[in-house]
Amino acid sequence: MSIKHKTGSIKLIAFDVDGVLTDGGIIYDNSGMEIKRFNVKDGQIIAHLKKSGFIVGAITGRDSQVVKNRCEELKLDFHYHGSSDKLVQYEKIKADYALDDEHIAYMGDDIIDLPILTRCGLSATPQDARTYIKEHVDYVSPSLGGHGALRDFADLILKEQNLLDTIIKQYTKGEM
Protein backbone atom coordinates (compact mmCIF):
# COMPACT_ATOMS: atom_id res chain seq x y z
CA MET A 1 0.00 0.00 0.00
CA SER A 2 1.39 3.44 -0.92
CA ILE A 3 2.24 6.13 1.61
CA LYS A 4 -0.31 8.41 -0.05
CA HIS A 5 -3.02 5.84 0.60
CA LYS A 6 -1.88 5.24 4.18
CA THR A 7 -1.79 8.94 5.09
CA GLY A 8 -5.43 9.45 4.11
CA SER A 9 -6.87 7.71 7.16
CA ILE A 10 -4.47 9.07 9.80
CA LYS A 11 -6.23 10.73 12.74
CA LEU A 12 -3.62 10.37 15.47
CA ILE A 13 0.12 11.01 15.37
CA ALA A 14 2.32 9.66 18.14
CA PHE A 15 6.07 9.61 18.57
CA ASP A 16 8.99 8.72 20.76
CA VAL A 17 10.90 11.63 22.28
CA ASP A 18 14.60 10.75 22.70
CA GLY A 19 15.98 10.25 19.22
CA VAL A 20 12.93 11.80 17.53
CA LEU A 21 12.23 15.17 19.20
CA THR A 22 15.83 15.22 20.49
CA ASP A 23 19.08 13.95 19.04
CA GLY A 24 19.05 11.19 21.64
CA GLY A 25 21.74 12.79 23.77
CA ILE A 26 21.34 13.43 27.47
CA ILE A 27 23.39 16.11 29.18
CA TYR A 28 23.75 16.25 32.95
CA ASP A 29 25.21 19.29 34.67
CA ASN A 30 27.39 19.07 37.79
CA SER A 31 24.35 19.10 40.06
CA GLY A 32 22.75 16.20 38.18
CA MET A 33 20.19 18.30 36.33
CA GLU A 34 19.18 16.88 32.97
CA ILE A 35 19.36 19.09 29.89
CA LYS A 36 17.87 18.31 26.48
CA ARG A 37 17.75 20.19 23.21
CA PHE A 38 14.47 20.24 21.27
CA ASN A 39 13.91 21.53 17.74
CA VAL A 40 11.37 24.35 17.64
CA LYS A 41 10.29 23.30 14.12
CA ASP A 42 8.82 20.11 15.55
CA GLY A 43 6.95 22.12 18.16
CA GLN A 44 5.60 24.51 15.55
CA ILE A 45 4.11 21.75 13.43
CA ILE A 46 2.56 20.03 16.46
CA ALA A 47 0.46 23.16 17.04
CA HIS A 48 -0.71 23.01 13.41
CA LEU A 49 -1.49 19.29 13.62
CA LYS A 50 -3.71 19.95 16.61
CA LYS A 51 -5.42 22.91 14.90
CA SER A 52 -6.03 20.64 11.91
CA GLY A 53 -7.87 18.14 14.12
CA PHE A 54 -5.20 15.50 14.72
CA ILE A 55 -4.72 13.86 18.09
CA VAL A 56 -1.04 14.22 18.98
CA GLY A 57 1.04 12.60 21.69
CA ALA A 58 4.22 10.96 22.91
CA ILE A 59 5.22 7.57 24.24
CA THR A 60 8.71 7.63 25.72
CA GLY A 61 10.80 5.02 27.43
CA ARG A 62 12.48 7.46 29.77
CA ASP A 63 10.89 9.15 32.75
CA SER A 64 12.26 12.67 32.55
CA GLN A 65 10.90 15.89 34.04
CA VAL A 66 12.45 17.85 31.18
CA VAL A 67 10.46 15.77 28.68
CA LYS A 68 7.27 16.07 30.76
CA ASN A 69 7.72 19.85 30.76
CA ARG A 70 8.15 19.92 26.98
CA CYS A 71 5.09 17.71 26.44
CA GLU A 72 3.00 20.03 28.63
CA GLU A 73 4.36 23.09 26.83
CA LEU A 74 3.35 21.53 23.49
CA LYS A 75 -0.12 20.78 24.90
CA LEU A 76 0.02 17.19 23.70
CA ASP A 77 -3.24 15.26 23.98
CA PHE A 78 -1.41 12.47 25.80
CA HIS A 79 2.12 11.63 26.90
CA TYR A 80 3.34 8.47 28.55
CA HIS A 81 6.73 8.33 30.27
CA GLY A 82 8.89 5.49 31.53
CA SER A 83 7.27 3.03 29.13
CA SER A 84 9.39 -0.11 28.89
CA ASP A 85 6.62 -1.79 26.87
CA LYS A 86 5.28 0.93 24.59
CA LEU A 87 2.75 -1.42 23.02
CA VAL A 88 0.73 -1.32 26.27
CA GLN A 89 0.29 2.47 25.91
CA TYR A 90 -0.36 2.13 22.18
CA GLU A 91 -3.23 -0.30 22.82
CA LYS A 92 -4.61 2.02 25.53
CA ILE A 93 -4.50 4.97 23.14
CA LYS A 94 -6.34 2.96 20.47
CA ALA A 95 -9.04 2.08 23.00
CA ASP A 96 -9.26 5.57 24.53
CA TYR A 97 -9.76 7.20 21.13
CA ALA A 98 -11.67 4.30 19.53
CA LEU A 99 -9.19 4.04 16.66
CA ASP A 100 -7.81 1.18 14.62
CA ASP A 101 -4.18 0.72 13.63
CA GLU A 102 -4.71 2.31 10.22
CA HIS A 103 -5.74 5.60 11.89
CA ILE A 104 -2.44 5.94 13.75
CA ALA A 105 0.92 7.26 12.56
CA TYR A 106 3.97 6.70 14.73
CA MET A 107 7.59 7.85 14.57
CA GLY A 108 10.21 6.01 16.59
CA ASP A 109 13.91 5.40 16.28
CA ASP A 110 14.94 2.30 18.22
CA ILE A 111 14.20 -1.33 19.03
CA ILE A 112 11.72 -0.43 21.78
CA ASP A 113 9.56 1.25 19.08
CA LEU A 114 9.38 -1.74 16.72
CA PRO A 115 6.18 -3.28 18.20
CA ILE A 116 4.31 -0.05 17.37
CA LEU A 117 6.14 0.66 14.12
CA THR A 118 5.11 -2.74 12.77
CA ARG A 119 1.43 -2.37 13.76
CA CYS A 120 0.44 1.24 13.16
CA GLY A 121 -1.07 2.48 9.93
CA LEU A 122 1.87 4.70 8.97
CA SER A 123 5.34 4.33 10.48
CA ALA A 124 8.41 6.54 10.29
CA THR A 125 11.90 6.96 11.66
CA PRO A 126 14.57 9.69 11.57
CA GLN A 127 17.45 9.43 9.10
CA ASP A 128 19.92 8.41 11.81
CA ALA A 129 17.99 5.35 13.00
CA ARG A 130 19.65 1.97 12.67
CA THR A 131 19.22 0.18 9.34
CA TYR A 132 17.19 -2.59 11.00
CA ILE A 133 14.67 0.04 12.16
CA LYS A 134 14.51 1.67 8.72
CA GLU A 135 13.69 -1.72 7.20
CA HIS A 136 10.42 -1.83 9.16
CA VAL A 137 8.97 1.62 8.44
CA ASP A 138 7.02 3.26 5.65
CA TYR A 139 8.95 6.55 5.72
CA VAL A 140 12.50 7.54 6.59
CA SER A 141 12.83 11.26 7.27
CA PRO A 142 15.67 13.04 5.47
CA SER A 143 16.38 14.74 8.83
CA LEU A 144 18.16 13.42 11.88
CA GLY A 145 16.40 12.95 15.19
CA GLY A 146 16.16 16.28 17.01
CA HIS A 147 16.69 18.16 13.76
CA GLY A 148 13.18 18.32 12.35
CA ALA A 149 12.46 14.63 11.67
CA LEU A 150 8.99 14.86 13.18
CA ARG A 151 8.39 18.01 11.17
CA ASP A 152 9.17 16.12 7.95
CA PHE A 153 6.75 13.35 8.90
CA ALA A 154 4.00 15.77 9.91
CA ASP A 155 4.46 17.84 6.74
CA LEU A 156 4.10 14.64 4.69
CA ILE A 157 0.82 13.74 6.40
CA LEU A 158 -0.54 17.29 6.17
CA LYS A 159 0.43 17.51 2.49
CA GLU A 160 -1.13 14.18 1.58
CA GLN A 161 -4.35 15.14 3.39
CA ASN A 162 -4.39 18.47 1.49
CA LEU A 163 -3.96 20.50 4.69
CA LEU A 164 -0.43 21.87 4.34
CA ASP A 165 -1.27 24.31 1.55
CA THR A 166 -4.09 25.75 3.68
CA ILE A 167 -1.68 26.35 6.56
CA ILE A 168 0.87 27.97 4.25
CA LYS A 169 -1.80 30.20 2.68
CA GLN A 170 -2.89 31.39 6.12
CA TYR A 171 0.63 32.66 6.73
CA THR A 172 1.19 34.14 3.29
CA LYS A 173 -2.11 36.01 3.48
CA GLY A 174 -1.47 37.18 7.05
CA GLU A 175 -4.43 35.28 8.49
CA MET A 176 -2.53 33.77 11.42
Side-chain angles (χ1 to χ4, degrees):
M1 186 178 306
S2 71
I3 286 182
K4 183 172 182 65
H5 181 77
K6 288 183 172 192
T7 58
S9 55
I10 298 301
K11 297 177 182 179
L12 184 148
I13 301 168
F15 43 85
D16 180 26
V17 176
D18 292 313
V20 174
L21 290 186
T22 75
D23 64 6
I26 302 169
I27 300 169
Y28 292 102
D29 70 14
N30 287 338
S31 63
M33 296 297 296
E34 182 178 349
I35 300 168
K36 290 186 182 281
R37 180 183 170 277
F38 296 92
N39 190 307
V40 72
K41 293 175 186 169
D42 292 329
Q44 179 68 233
I45 205 63
I46 287 169
H48 288 292
L49 288 168
K50 290 178 61 60
K51 285 181 189 175
S52 297
F54 291 95
I55 302 160
V56 183
I59 306 171
T60 179
R62 293 195 69 247
D63 194 2
S64 162
Q65 189 59 48
V66 172
V67 172
K68 288 177 186 173
N69 294 345
R70 182 64 172 153
C71 290
E72 290 294 324
E73 179 183 28
L74 294 172
K75 297 178 176 59
L76 297 182
D77 296 300
F78 60 87
H79 45 99
Y80 293 98
H81 307 265
S83 302
S84 59
D85 182 354
K86 294 183 178 188
L87 194 57
V88 171
Q89 278 74 33
Y90 176 79
E91 293 297 336
K92 181 180 182 330
I93 292 162
K94 280 175 39 180
D96 288 350
Y97 292 99
L99 297 174
D100 294 319
D101 291 329
E102 64 265 17
H103 300 128
I104 300 174
Y106 184 79
M107 177 174 256
D109 72 308
D110 213 339
I111 286 174
I112 193 171
D113 299 302
L114 280 173
I116 299 174
L117 291 170
T118 57
R119 284 172 180 77
C120 67
L122 181 66
S123 59
T125 197
Q127 181 60 45
D128 55 341
R130 298 280 185 204
T131 300
Y132 54 81
I133 304 300
K134 293 177 183 178
E135 291 170 352
H136 292 280
V137 300
D138 299 306
Y139 174 77
V140 177
S141 168
S143 300
L144 305 175
H147 294 274
L150 181 66
R151 177 64 176 261
D152 296 334
F153 190 40
D155 281 354
L156 171 75
I157 294 166
L158 288 166
K159 180 181 178 193
E160 293 301 331
Q161 289 195 13
N162 298 313
L163 298 169
L164 187 58
D165 284 344
T166 301
I167 294 167
I168 292 168
K169 285 178 187 173
Q170 290 171 341
Y171 279 94
T172 58
K173 292 184 178 186
E175 298 172 2
M176 294 305 295

Coordinates of all heavy atoms in Angstrom, one line a residue, residues 48 51 165-176:
H48 N 0.1 23.0 14.6 CA -0.7 23.0 13.4 C -1.4 21.7 13.2 O -2.6 21.6 12.8 CB 0.1 23.3 12.2 CG 0.5 24.8 12.1 ND1 -0.4 25.8 11.9 CD2 1.7 25.4 12.3 CE1 0.2 26.9 12.0 NE2 1.5 26.7 12.2
K51 N -4.4 22.0 15.5 CA -5.4 22.9 14.9 C -6.1 22.3 13.7 O -7.3 22.6 13.4 CB -4.7 24.2 14.4 CG -4.4 25.2 15.5 CD -3.7 26.4 14.9 CE -3.2 27.3 16.0 NZ -2.4 28.4 15.4
D165 N -1.1 23.1 2.4 CA -1.3 24.3 1.5 C -2.2 25.3 2.2 O -1.9 26.5 2.2 CB -1.8 24.0 0.2 CG -0.8 23.4 -0.8 OD1 0.4 23.5 -0.5 OD2 -1.2 22.8 -1.8
T166 N -3.2 24.8 2.9 CA -4.1 25.7 3.7 C -3.3 26.5 4.8 O -3.5 27.7 5.0 CB -5.3 24.9 4.3 OG1 -6.0 24.3 3.2 CG2 -6.2 25.8 5.1
I167 N -2.5 25.7 5.5 CA -1.7 26.4 6.6 C -0.7 27.4 6.0 O -0.6 28.5 6.5 CB -0.9 25.3 7.3 CG1 -1.9 24.4 8.1 CG2 0.1 25.9 8.3 CD1 -1.3 23.1 8.6
I168 N -0.1 27.0 4.9 CA 0.9 28.0 4.3 C 0.1 29.2 3.8 O 0.6 30.3 4.0 CB 1.6 27.3 3.1 CG1 2.5 26.2 3.7 CG2 2.4 28.3 2.2 CD1 3.1 25.2 2.6
K169 N -1.0 29.0 3.2 CA -1.8 30.2 2.7 C -2.2 31.1 3.8 O -2.2 32.3 3.6 CB -3.0 29.7 1.9 CG -2.7 29.2 0.5 CD -3.9 28.7 -0.2 CE -3.5 28.0 -1.5 NZ -4.6 27.4 -2.2
Q170 N -2.5 30.6 5.0 CA -2.9 31.4 6.1 C -1.7 32.3 6.5 O -2.0 33.5 6.8 CB -3.3 30.5 7.3 CG -4.6 29.8 7.1 CD -4.9 28.8 8.2 OE1 -4.0 28.4 8.9 NE2 -6.1 28.4 8.4
Y171 N -0.5 31.8 6.4 CA 0.6 32.7 6.7 C 0.9 33.7 5.6 O 1.3 34.8 5.9 CB 1.8 31.8 7.0 CG 1.8 31.2 8.4 CD1 1.3 30.0 8.7 CD2 2.4 32.0 9.5 CE1 1.3 29.5 10.0 CE2 2.3 31.5 10.8 CZ 1.8 30.2 11.0 OH 1.8 29.8 12.3
T172 N 0.9 33.2 4.4 CA 1.2 34.1 3.3 C 0.1 35.2 3.1 O 0.4 36.3 2.6 CB 1.4 33.4 2.0 OG1 0.2 32.7 1.6 CG2 2.6 32.4 2.1
K173 N -1.1 35.0 3.6 CA -2.1 36.0 3.5 C -2.3 36.8 4.8 O -3.2 37.6 4.9 CB -3.4 35.3 3.1 CG -3.4 34.8 1.7 CD -4.8 34.2 1.3 CE -4.7 33.8 -0.1 NZ -6.0 33.3 -0.6
G174 N -1.4 36.5 5.8 CA -1.5 37.2 7.1 C -2.7 36.9 7.9 O -3.1 37.7 8.7
E175 N -3.2 35.7 7.8 CA -4.4 35.3 8.5 C -4.1 34.6 9.8 O -5.0 34.1 10.5 CB -5.3 34.4 7.6 CG -5.8 35.1 6.3 CD -6.5 34.2 5.4 OE1 -6.6 33.0 5.7 OE2 -6.8 34.7 4.3
M176 N -2.9 34.5 10.2 CA -2.5 33.8 11.4 C -2.5 34.7 12.6 O -2.3 35.8 12.6 CB -1.2 33.1 11.3 CG -1.2 31.9 10.3 SD -2.4 30.7 10.5 CE -2.0 29.9 12.0

